[in-house]
């Protein structure tokens, strides 16, 4: 079981937390994050372009969290994307708006309140009788399980179910409340759903403040009619959509909870988000003769009703080819009364769906007349509607699922690979399957023809894919997909009323004809398992309801236009939006249970939770003037506007330039003040969210903005991220691998948490918060603060005056990192911004400190580095940055007001490359000594060592010669030219066949050095680009750079001496001891060779 780590030492963490609290208190006291639009006077006469230049703004937001618990680390991960961006955008001199609302609409809170009421009735007001009552419940349940197990033919299956039941975690709502820190004595208050609205939002606010979030809390609000201002806003939104014809009323399929008596939309679900209805054709197959076993079980229980086996099919056009019908022998079937005349045989799951689709009378009634095991139905005779063979037998099939369709499957072996293979299996082993061979005697009947597979698609595919039995489920699934696509897109009907017509045209006609003849009916069920928040398995209901007409061609086209203009940051996110627009259609926007705003023209209904949260970002721009610092709107804002004054006409005037109403409910200047804020801040610049909201909330936001707002107020960008794992595993309370935001801050402090969230990742793949990284960040931040403080205190001891070569390299490296970090913040790539603006910046300082050890670091550069280090990490770790800025550097203003640093001089790429060369050379020289030692150790053990060098004792005084080459070996130049001659610039590809041909022509094909070199060179092309790779000259003098490096080299490697020689100079001494030809010859431009030797001191 995964567990979160325990911290052994906490003194450094506690010190950092005390600093964080100090700075947070200051920010709140100074109201640093409260932001308003410039005054009308400041904006007077400015064009839009001038406005952006003189008073730039940035407005970022994320989906407001649902208030049925505390914020967890996953929330913090999504929040961090806007939080880091807000910090960065402030540094660009913009007015930054980062607001945070609280979502309370929908079922979850009401469902949880109802659970608490039931549990109080069961266990007492404070659940004091829980242990006693639960023991009794479990004892009764155990007895029931033992009965079922004794009756079960599959003992292992029964035991497995028992184990699963015991490992489901917290059973009751009061236990869940205790697990999130609510005292048991307080839980009874949550029986009132409104108590949730006052309990959790303040916790979220406190947790965000402890996190250091740059949020303007004046603009926060609750959804639903709990806030009358927001209620008026939602009323304007839905009224306008209704007026525009975007909200309609009609009969349609929807996911529905029988227990709650209303549609169950995505946010109302405990499981199954994103799942919609799947429509089938329910085929009625009248039983003409029961098997003896089924006859005995049914007896007269069906009365005078005709009994039908009902199959759900997606291919009604193939019904002409039925040769039999399949059931699962291990499935329990019911005989369900449909009305006084008919009864259907299917699974209980299917019957529950039918009960709410107008099939059953009365609606919602599930009357089971009898129960039949599938094995008992085998051998029964039924009518096959529209089939060439009017009567067929019921046969067994291994792959029938009780969780899909009705549990009854029509068999058309000419076009269904599953049906064909099962029929062949039954014919081969009738005794094994306990059937009479005559029941499977009907041969496949041609129904349609395709160009690829002819008149018998299924037999052809079974043969092609070498399928041997119905147990070859993987191959059968592939064959099924091929058969369906081939038949639908390329098939032609061979039989029936629509003979000769394309299958695409005939499909719907056959279905309509079957329904008209009373031989079929429309049937639908959820595409997968859906569980409501009230723990009810949902069905599909056909019902009259209010729905948003998403997918309507003109509206969709308008929304696609919005998406085309919007920045999505990654192609994957854009593709996910486009894919959603392809399938998304009518969406139920009202329900009768839960919390929410009433539908204005039909107040029996409430606006559902995904429909009142599509354009609320615009509400943020005016909320502080309507109800400043009042989540529920109980305290009017500075303008003194009351909620009833915010009519539809006033909202339309503010948001959409509608006409000012007459008579007006409030003075126009007050509405203009609201309009002024909205016009300045809207549209929002970015919305950041988890990727799983693209199929609903985020796409709904696009649709609603396209319908309700003028084009210049459409969203500018949306970015999405993956989910957050903890310690490389999925977060889960039941395994102990979970953290709330509060727990993370208490454990690691705000900045260590924030640094680890930035380090977790930015893409659509799942990110990972590593606790060991967070713990290591505590030490890193603490150590860095101490070093900065020491440097400032001891600055008088630092070097001053003229700058040397290493000073120049360090300054250029820091400036380069400023620019690189800037580019990553711009792209919202915070992991890379952290890498270059924090870790690499410290690496540059570490090298500078080492390489100037003999003369010391330059004071101006170190003080500049400290300022830069604080500024570059401000967006991600503001408390650490603030401590450096105000307490160590003694700046009077908060770093939250500081601007992004701008390098005073352009970065010289030649110097940057020289710096990289120095670091690489030092590593290579150290590696050279290590390799030499290994060779000598092998020689000492008597192993043959291929070396021309004299014995070298690393314990004795030593020196090193560095051999610098100005030109590459001729064979390498020829190899590079070969690659260049074989390179296609347009395709950005090397023709390997041509490379071989040219190598043969140049006599290099047998040189063992060449092919490894070419492979390495091609990798360099991929890494740095072809043109850079082909340009093999160095932009700096190796000898000059190495001369600058010699003092550090001698000191760090404990050398008596070190000298730099050109290859040409070295070759003049090849006959002398200590000048080894094989070593000298390995030198290349950019990769000098090194030769150690012992010297006499």
């Amino acid at each position: 079981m995964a567990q979160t780590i325990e911290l052994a030492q906490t003194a450094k963490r506690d010190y950092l937390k005390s600093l964080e609290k100090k700075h947070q208190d200051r920010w709140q006291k100074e109201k640093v994050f409260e932001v308003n639009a410039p005054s009308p006077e400041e904006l007077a006469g400015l064009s839009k372009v001038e406005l952006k230049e003189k008073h730039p703004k940035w407005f970022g937001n994320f989906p407001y969290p649902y208030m049925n618990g505390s914020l967890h680390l996953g929330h913090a991960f999504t929040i961090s994307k806007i939080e880091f961006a807000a910090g960065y955008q402030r540094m660009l001199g913009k007015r930054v708006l980062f607001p945070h609302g609280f979502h309370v609409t929908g079922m979850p809170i009401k469902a949880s309140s109802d659970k608490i009421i039931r549990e109080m009735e069961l266990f007492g007001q404070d659940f004091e009788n829980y242990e006693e009552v639960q023991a009794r419940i479990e004892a009764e349940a155990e007895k029931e399980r033992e009965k079922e197990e004794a009756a079960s033919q599959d003992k292992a299956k029964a035991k497995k179910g028992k184990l699963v039941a015991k490992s489901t975690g917290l059973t009751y709502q009061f236990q869940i409340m205790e697990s999130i820190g609510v005292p048991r004595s307080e839980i009874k208050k949550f029986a009132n759903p409104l108590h949730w609205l006052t309990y959790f939002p303040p916790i979220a606010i406190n947790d965000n403040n402890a996190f250091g979030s740059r949020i303007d809390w004046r603009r926060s609000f609750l959804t639903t009619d709990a806030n009358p201002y927001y209620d008026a806003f939602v009323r304007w939104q839905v009224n306008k959509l209704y007026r525009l014809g975007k909200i309609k009323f009609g009969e349609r399929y929807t996911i529905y909870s029988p227990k709650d008596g209303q549609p169950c939309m995505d946010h109302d679900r405990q499981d199954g988000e994103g799942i919609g209805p799947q429509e089938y054709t329910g085929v009625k197959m009248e039983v003409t003769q029961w098997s003896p076993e089924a006859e005995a079980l049914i007896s007269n229980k069906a009365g005078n009703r005709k009994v039908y086996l009902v199959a759900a099919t997606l291919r009604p056009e193939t019904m002409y080819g039925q040769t039999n019908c399949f059931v699962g022998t291990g499935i329990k079937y019911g005989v369900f009364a449909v009305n006084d005349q008919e009864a259907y045989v299917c699974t209980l799951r299917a019957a529950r769906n039918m009960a709410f689709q107008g099939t059953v009378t009365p609606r919602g009634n599930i009357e089971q007349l009898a129960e039949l095991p599938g094995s008992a139905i085998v051998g029964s005779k039924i009518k096959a509607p529209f089939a060439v063979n009017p009567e067929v037998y019921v046969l067994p099939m291994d792959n029938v699922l009780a969780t899909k369709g009705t549990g009854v499957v029509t068999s058309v072996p000419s076009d269904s690979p599953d049906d064909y293979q099962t029929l062949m299996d039954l014919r081969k082993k009738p005794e094994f399957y306990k059937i009479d061979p005559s029941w499977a005697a009907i041969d496949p009947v041609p129904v349609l023809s395709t160009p690829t597979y002819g008149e018998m698609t299924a037999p052809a595919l079974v043969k092609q894919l070498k399928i041997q039995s119905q147990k070859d489920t993987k191959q059968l699934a592939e064959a099924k997909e091929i058969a369906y696509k081939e038949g639908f897109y390329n098939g032609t009907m061979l039989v029936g009323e629509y003979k000769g017509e394309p299958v695409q045209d005939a499909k719907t006609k056959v279905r309509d004809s079957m329904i008209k003849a009373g031989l079929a009916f429309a049937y639908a069920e959820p595409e997968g398992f859906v569980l409501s928040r009230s723990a009810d398995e949902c069905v599909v209901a056909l019902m009259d309801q209010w729905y948003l007409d998403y997918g309507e061609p003109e509206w969709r086209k308008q929304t696609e236009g919005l998406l085309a203009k919007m920045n999505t940051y990654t192609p994957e996110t854009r593709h996910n939006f486009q894919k959603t627009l392809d399938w998304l259609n009518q969406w139920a926007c009202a329900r009768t249970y839960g919390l929410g705003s009433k539908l204005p023209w039909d107040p029996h209904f409430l606006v559902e939770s995904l429909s009142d949260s599509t354009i609320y970002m615009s509400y943020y721009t005016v909320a502080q003037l309507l109800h400043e610092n009042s989540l529920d709107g109980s305290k009017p804002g500075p303008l003194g506007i009351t909620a009833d004054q915010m009519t539809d006409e006033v909202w339309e005037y503010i948001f959409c330039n509608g006409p000012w109403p007459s008579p007006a409910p409030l003075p126009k200047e007050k509405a203009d003040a609201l309009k002024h804020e909205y016009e300045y801040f809207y549209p929002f610049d970015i919305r950041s969210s988890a990727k799983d909201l693209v199929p609903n909330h985020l796409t709904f936001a696009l649709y609603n903005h396209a319908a309700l707002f003028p084009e210049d107020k459409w969203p500018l960008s949306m970015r999405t991220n993956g989910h957050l794992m903890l310690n490389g595993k999925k977060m889960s309370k039941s395994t102990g691998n979970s953290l709330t935001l509060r727990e993370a801050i208490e454990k690691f402090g705000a900045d260590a948490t924030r640094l680890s969230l930035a380090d977790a990742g930015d893409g659509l793949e799942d990110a990972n918060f590593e606790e060991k990284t967070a713990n290591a960040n505590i030490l890193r931040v603490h150590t860095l603060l101490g070093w900065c403080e020491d440097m400032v205190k001891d600055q008088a001891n630092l070097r001053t005056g003229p700058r040397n070569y290493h000073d120049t390299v360090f300054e250029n490296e820091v400036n380069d990192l400023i620019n690189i970090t800037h580019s990553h913040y711009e792209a919202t790539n915070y992991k890379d911004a952290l890498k270059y603006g924090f870790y690499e910046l410290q690496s540059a300082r570490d090298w500078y400190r080492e390489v100037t050890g003999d003369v010391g670091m330059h004071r101006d550069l170190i003080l500049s580095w400290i300022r830069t280090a604080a500024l570059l990490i401000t967006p991600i770790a503001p408390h650490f940055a603030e401590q450096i800025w105000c307490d160590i550097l003694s700046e009077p203003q908060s770093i939250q007001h500081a601007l992004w640093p701008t390098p005073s001089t352009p970065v010289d790429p030649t110097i940057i490359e020289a710096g990289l060369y120095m670091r690489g050379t030092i590593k290579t020289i150290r590696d050279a000594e290590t390799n030499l030692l290994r060779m000598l150790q092998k020689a000492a053990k008597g192993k043959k060592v291929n070396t021309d060098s004299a014995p070298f004792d690393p314990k004795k005084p030593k020196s090193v010669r560095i051999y610098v080459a100005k030109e590459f070996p001729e064979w390498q130049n020829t190899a590079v030219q070969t690659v260049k001659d074989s390179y296609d610039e347009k395709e950005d590809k090397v023709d390997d066949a041509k490379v071989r041909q040219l190598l043969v022509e140049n006599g290099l094909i047998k040189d063992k050095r060449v092919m490894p070199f070419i492979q390495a060179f091609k990798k360099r092309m991929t890494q740095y680009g072809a043109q850079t790779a082909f340009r093999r000259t160095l932009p700096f003098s190796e000898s000059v750079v190495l001369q600058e490096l010699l003092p550090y080299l001698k000191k760090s490697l404990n050398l008596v001496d070190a000298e730099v020689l050109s290859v040409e100079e070295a070759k003049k001494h090849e006959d002398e001891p200590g000048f080894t030809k094989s070593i000298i010859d390995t030198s290349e431009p950019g990769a000098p060779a090194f030769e150690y030797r012992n010297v006499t001191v």
Side-chain angles (χ1 to χ4, degrees):
M1 179 180 285
Q3 295 287 338
T4 54
I5 67 171
E6 295 293 330
L7 303 192
Q9 304 290 332
T10 62
K12 291 182 176 66
R13 178 205 66 184
D14 294 343
Y15 169 70
L16 294 178
K17 285 173 68 176
S18 70
L19 298 181
E20 290 168 355
K21 182 68 171 67
K22 177 180 73 173
H23 297 310
Q24 289 162 7
D25 289 345
R26 178 187 176 183
W27 298 335
Q28 288 172 37
K29 181 181 178 183
E30 295 180 2
K31 299 181 179 180
V32 171
F33 308 127
E34 293 184 7
V35 60
N36 299 308
S39 68
E41 292 73 25
E42 291 177 280
L43 302 184
L46 296 179
S47 67
K48 285 191 175 182
V49 174
E50 291 171 330
L51 172 61
K52 283 185 178 180
E53 289 178 358
K54 195 169 183 181
H55 301 285
K57 67 88 184 177
W58 180 89
F59 175 13
N61 54 73
F62 74 103
Y64 46 23
Y66 197 78
M67 286 292 99
N68 60 344
S70 297
L71 301 177
H72 54 70
L73 207 57
H75 285 121
F77 181 59
T78 299
I79 290 170
S80 73
K81 304 304 179 186
I82 295 298
E83 165 60 21
F84 299 157
Y88 167 69
Q89 294 291 334
R90 289 180 66 94
M91 300 185 77
L92 301 183
K94 298 179 182 178
R95 293 181 190 237
V96 167
L97 174 57
F98 176 19
H100 185 324
F102 301 101
H103 199 201
V104 296
T105 309
M107 281 184 56
I109 288 175
K110 184 69 169 67
S112 297
S113 292
D114 289 348
K115 285 180 186 176
I116 289 172
I117 291 171
R118 290 194 293 272
E119 291 165 18
M120 287 165 63
E121 292 170 352
L122 192 61
F123 303 126
Q125 287 288 302
D126 288 315
F127 314 97
E128 64 273 11
N129 301 320
Y130 165 69
E131 286 77 11
E132 178 188 341
V133 175
Q134 185 63 16
R136 188 168 66 247
I137 291 171
E138 288 179 0
E140 292 170 359
E142 183 64 29
K143 286 181 183 177
E144 192 62 34
R145 278 196 293 268
E146 287 173 357
K147 283 182 186 177
E148 287 182 11
E149 189 175 326
S152 173
Q153 294 177 347
D154 188 349
K155 300 285 181 77
K157 192 171 182 180
K159 287 178 182 176
K160 183 180 177 185
K162 184 174 169 182
L163 289 171
V164 169
K166 288 183 176 179
S167 62
T168 53
L170 302 174
T171 305
Y172 296 105
Q173 185 64 42
F174 84 88
Q175 294 173 318
I176 294 171
M177 303 303 288
E178 281 186 312
S179 75
I180 59 177
V182 180
R184 185 176 284 197
S185 60
E186 294 286 309
I187 294 175
K188 57 177 170 286
K189 295 178 182 178
F190 290 87
N192 178 0
L194 297 181
H195 183 66
W196 299 68
L197 279 55
T198 60
Y199 187 86
F200 286 111
I203 292 175
I205 292 172
N206 290 336
D207 289 352
N208 265 293
N209 287 337
F211 188 58
S213 297
R214 301 170 174 91
I215 293 169
D216 184 351
W217 290 113
R218 299 173 304 153
R219 300 170 184 268
S220 300
F221 58 86
L222 298 171
T223 62
T224 76
D225 54 7
N227 183 323
Y229 293 94
Y230 189 77
D231 191 49
F233 168 73
V234 172
R235 188 162 55 244
W236 163 74
Q237 175 192 353
V238 295
N239 272 335
K240 184 170 182 179
L241 289 168
Y242 184 44
R243 192 172 66 251
L244 292 171
K246 308 300 184 186
I247 295 179
K248 296 179 179 177
F249 188 76
E251 193 175 64
R252 58 183 295 279
Y253 287 119
T254 189
I255 305 295
Y256 180 85
S257 166
K259 182 177 181 180
D260 301 326
Q262 66 173 12
C264 184
M265 309 316 290
D266 275 9
H267 280 189
D268 300 326
R269 300 176 190 176
Q270 189 171 312
D271 195 8
E273 189 169 330
I275 288 175
Q278 171 67 63
E279 295 186 41
Y280 294 88
T281 301
V283 180
K284 297 165 61 176
M285 300 174 286
E286 185 182 348
V287 179
T288 58
Q289 181 184 323
W290 286 110
S291 67
E293 189 178 347
E295 181 69 46
L297 290 169
I298 290 177
S299 187
N300 295 318
K301 293 176 182 176
N304 295 322
R305 297 178 178 88
K306 286 185 179 180
V307 180
Y308 298 85
L309 265 65
V310 175
T313 182
L314 294 170
R315 304 190 67 188
E317 74 281 4
T318 65
M319 290 302 98
Y320 299 102
Q322 295 176 76
T323 61
N324 60 278
C325 166
F326 290 125
V327 294
T329 54
I331 295 174
K332 287 182 180 179
Y333 294 84
V335 180
F336 298 96
V338 176
N339 48 45
D340 294 338
Q341 286 79 43
E342 297 181 346
Y344 293 165
V345 177
C346 60
T347 59
L348 173 60
R349 175 182 169 277
R352 288 183 79 234
N353 280 280
M354 293 177 195
F356 295 94
Q357 295 174 17
T359 305
V360 175
T361 306
R363 178 185 171 85
N365 182 55
I366 303 171
E367 182 183 353
Q368 184 169 327
L369 305 173
E371 183 176 280
L372 297 172
S375 57
I377 306 174
V378 173
S380 299
K381 204 170 189 181
I382 58 170
K383 289 183 179 179
F386 275 38
V388 172
N389 296 286
E391 287 195 351
V392 297
Y393 284 96
V394 180
L395 299 177
M397 185 185 211
D398 292 344
N399 299 333
V400 177
L401 298 174
T403 55
K404 190 172 185 180
T406 61
V408 178
V409 180
T410 58
S411 174
V412 183
S414 59
D415 288 276
S416 167
D418 286 280
D419 297 350
Y420 176 77
Q421 187 56 55
T422 302
L423 183 62
M424 295 303 103
D425 288 356
L426 293 172
R427 286 183 172 184
K428 287 176 190 173
K429 298 180 179 179
E431 300 86 2
F432 177 79
Y433 288 104
K434 300 176 184 177
I435 67 163
D436 186 319
S438 65
W439 298 346
I442 301 174
D443 290 327
V445 177
V447 176
L448 54 89
S449 174
T450 68
T452 307
Y453 301 105
E455 297 181 354
M456 287 285 171
T457 298
L461 280 167
V462 166
K463 183 179 179 180
Q464 178 182 313
L465 297 178
K466 298 178 181 178
I467 296 168
Q468 300 299 316
S469 83
Q470 57 185 308
K471 297 186 188 301
D472 296 336
T473 52
K474 186 177 179 181
Q475 297 97 308
L476 282 168
E478 181 184 351
K480 179 180 180 180
E481 185 175 356
I482 294 170
Y484 181 83
K485 287 181 178 177
E486 181 69 18
F488 181 74
Y489 292 109
N490 302 315
T492 303
M493 297 298 296
L494 295 174
V495 294
E497 185 181 352
Y498 307 104
K499 180 179 178 180
E501 292 192 20
V503 170
Q504 290 187 63
D505 298 336
K507 187 183 190 79
T508 306
K509 294 178 181 178
V510 174
R511 183 179 195 262
D512 292 343
S513 296
M514 292 186 77
I515 292 173
K516 189 175 180 181
L519 300 173
F521 59 93
Y523 169 73
E525 65 182 29
E527 295 168 307
F529 179 74
V530 179
L531 190 70
S532 75
R533 297 277 183 180
S534 57
D536 184 31
E537 182 177 352
C538 294
V539 299
V540 167
L542 183 65
M543 58 190 302
D544 286 331
Q545 58 186 292
W546 294 104
Y547 62 89
L548 279 152
D549 198 15
Y550 297 139
E552 185 274 319
E554 281 303 313
W555 197 6
R556 174 178 164 180
K557 183 179 178 182
Q558 191 181 17
T559 306
E560 287 172 337
L562 187 161
L563 176 62
K565 295 179 179 180
M566 188 178 77
N567 181 10
T568 60
Y569 298 91
T570 65
E572 295 89 347
T573 297
R574 184 170 300 281
H575 175 69
N576 289 341
F577 273 115
Q578 290 166 338
K579 193 165 64 173
T580 300
L581 288 172
D582 286 342
W583 65 258
L584 182 63
N585 57 19
Q586 302 164 352
W587 181 270
C589 61
R591 45 166 173 51
T592 56
Y593 176 82
L595 304 178
S597 296
K598 290 181 174 62
L599 208 58
W601 60 89
D602 195 352
H604 173 66
F605 290 100
L606 301 171
V607 181
E608 66 94 24
S609 62
L610 278 167
S611 298
D612 80 338
S613 56
T614 56
I615 60 166
Y616 68 86
M617 315 89 192
S618 61
Y619 187 82
Y620 282 131
T621 64
V622 298
Q624 83 288 1
L625 295 178
L626 293 174
H627 51 87
E628 185 175 19
N629 294 319
S630 173
L631 294 180
D632 60 1
S634 57
K635 176 188 170 188
L639 297 178
I641 299 172
T642 59
D644 62 301
Q645 292 177 307
M646 295 304 295
T647 62
D648 288 0
E649 293 77 16
V650 172
W651 287 113
E652 187 69 16
Y653 171 77
I654 294 166
F655 288 147
C656 301
N657 297 312
W660 181 245
S662 179
L666 76 163
K668 186 170 180 291
E669 57 269 21
K670 291 186 178 183
D672 284 338
L674 300 172
K675 188 179 179 70
H676 176 73
E677 288 281 327
Y678 163 75
E679 288 289 348
Y680 176 73
F681 281 112
Y682 223 66
F684 60 79
D685 294 82
I686 184 173
R687 184 165 181 76
S688 189
S689 167
K691 62 185 177 183
D692 55 355
L693 291 190
V694 171
N696 44 60
H697 164 71
L698 294 178
T699 303
F700 293 179
L702 300 190
Y703 261 111
N704 279 265
H705 274 86
L708 296 171
F709 291 96
E711 194 169 330
D712 65 337
K713 299 302 181 187
W714 288 357
L716 297 176
S717 78
M718 289 187 183
R719 81 181 299 284
T720 61
N721 52 261
H723 297 120
L724 184 69
M725 296 189 294
L726 180 60
N727 302 323
K729 296 183 179 180
K730 183 179 179 181
M731 280 200 279
S732 168
K733 282 187 179 181
S734 62
T735 63
N737 193 53
S738 70
L739 278 178
T740 64
L741 174 56
R742 175 169 291 189
E743 288 167 343
I745 294 168
E746 288 176 349
K747 194 170 193 175
F748 303 111
D751 275 351
T753 299
R754 292 169 67 110
L755 288 164
S756 299
L757 286 171
D759 198 42
D762 295 298
L764 269 69
E765 68 280 358
D766 287 348
N768 181 41
F769 182 97
E770 192 64 56
E771 285 192 293
K772 289 179 181 177
T773 302
N775 193 28
N777 283 333
I778 295 172
L779 178 60
R780 181 183 283 271
V781 170
H782 190 277
T783 302
L784 189 52
L785 279 175
W787 183 85
C788 292
E789 192 169 357
D790 290 344
M791 288 299 102
V792 173
K793 284 180 180 176
D794 299 338
Q795 59 181 287
N797 297 322
L798 294 173
R799 174 168 55 89
T800 58
R803 298 186 183 184
N804 62 29
Y805 183 76
H806 295 299
D807 294 339
T808 302
V809 172
F810 180 55
E811 183 177 29
N812 271 269
E813 286 183 337
V814 170
N815 288 342
D816 190 41
L817 288 170
I818 290 172
N819 295 336
I820 293 171
T821 305
H822 178 273
S823 69
H824 288 303
Y825 275 129
E826 278 289 329
T828 70
N829 294 331
Y830 303 113
K831 185 179 179 72
D832 285 335
L834 177 67
K835 175 185 175 182
Y836 292 101
F838 190 62
Y839 298 123
E840 293 289 337
L841 190 71
Q842 290 171 60
S843 296
R845 176 211 58 180
D846 293 343
W847 168 257
Y848 177 61
R849 182 169 53 185
E850 283 185 46
V851 82
T852 58
D854 58 333
V855 295
M857 299 180 289
H858 198 286
R859 183 180 67 190
D860 295 347
L861 291 177
I862 287 303
L863 293 179
S864 176
W865 184 92
I866 292 171
R867 290 178 67 85
T868 300
L871 291 168
L872 265 55
I873 203 61
T874 293
I876 295 172
H879 310 87
F880 160 78
E882 189 75 275
Q883 181 66 17
I884 292 177
W885 194 253
C886 291
D887 287 41
I888 295 177
L889 296 177
S890 302
E891 290 285 346
Q893 261 202 326
S894 167
I895 200 168
Q896 301 283 5
H897 300 298
L899 295 178
W900 185 261
T902 303
S904 55
T905 56
V907 173
D908 186 339
T910 301
I911 293 176
I912 296 298
E913 287 202 39
L916 292 171
Y917 172 81
M918 282 193 287
R919 293 210 241 321
T921 301
I922 286 292
K923 182 180 185 304
T924 308
I925 293 175
R926 284 174 176 153
D927 290 345
E929 182 181 17
T930 303
N931 292 334
L932 182 57
L933 286 172
R934 285 176 184 159
M935 291 168 67
L936 293 171
Q937 286 169 359
K938 285 182 181 179
K941 291 178 181 178
K943 294 182 180 178
K944 185 178 179 182
V945 179
N946 183 20
T947 176
D948 298 330
S949 61
F952 167 68
D953 187 348
K955 295 178 183 177
K956 293 180 180 179
K958 58 192 175 185
S959 292
V960 69
R961 289 195 182 99
I962 305 172
Y963 304 129
V964 178
K966 294 179 181 177
E967 294 180 353
F968 289 95
E970 187 57 36
W971 69 268
Q972 281 194 15
N973 288 334
T974 305
V976 171
Q977 188 61 45
T978 297
V979 174
K980 192 172 185 179
D981 292 342
S982 307
Y983 174 67
D984 185 326
E985 191 171 350
K986 286 185 179 178
E987 296 289 329
D988 190 24
K989 192 175 180 182
V990 175
D991 185 341
D992 291 330
K994 190 173 181 181
V995 168
R996 290 191 199 93
Q997 178 191 333
L998 292 174
L999 288 175
V1000 170
E1001 292 175 6
N1002 290 316
L1004 288 174
I1005 194 67
K1006 293 183 180 179
D1007 190 327
K1008 293 181 180 179
R1009 300 170 297 176
V1010 173
M1011 288 313 293
F1013 171 77
I1014 287 177
Q1015 293 303 321
F1017 187 78
K1018 284 166 67 178
K1019 282 184 180 178
R1020 182 175 173 83
M1021 289 173 68
T1022 303
Q1023 188 173 1
Y1024 297 105
Q1027 298 311 317
T1028 301
F1030 290 137
R1031 189 175 63 249
R1032 303 180 80 208
T1033 57
L1034 294 177
F1036 55 86
S1037 167
E1038 276 188 89
S1039 296
V1040 170
V1041 172
L1042 288 170
Q1043 289 294 343
E1044 295 286 353
L1045 191 60
L1046 287 183
Y1048 171 70
L1049 187 65
K1050 289 162 69 173
K1051 181 180 179 183
S1052 63
L1053 297 180
N1054 196 24
L1055 301 172
V1056 173
D1057 192 21
E1059 56 184 325
V1060 179
L1061 297 172
S1062 69
V1063 168
E1064 290 75 16
E1065 289 178 291
K1067 284 187 174 181
K1068 293 176 182 177
H1069 304 278
E1070 279 183 358
D1071 297 330
E1072 301 174 19
F1075 290 88
T1076 307
K1077 183 178 185 303
S1078 60
I1079 294 177
I1080 296 170
D1081 286 346
T1082 62
S1083 177
E1084 296 176 8
F1090 316 101
E1091 184 166 14
Y1092 281 95
R1093 69 188 191 284
N1094 291 122
V1095 294
T1096 304
V1097 179

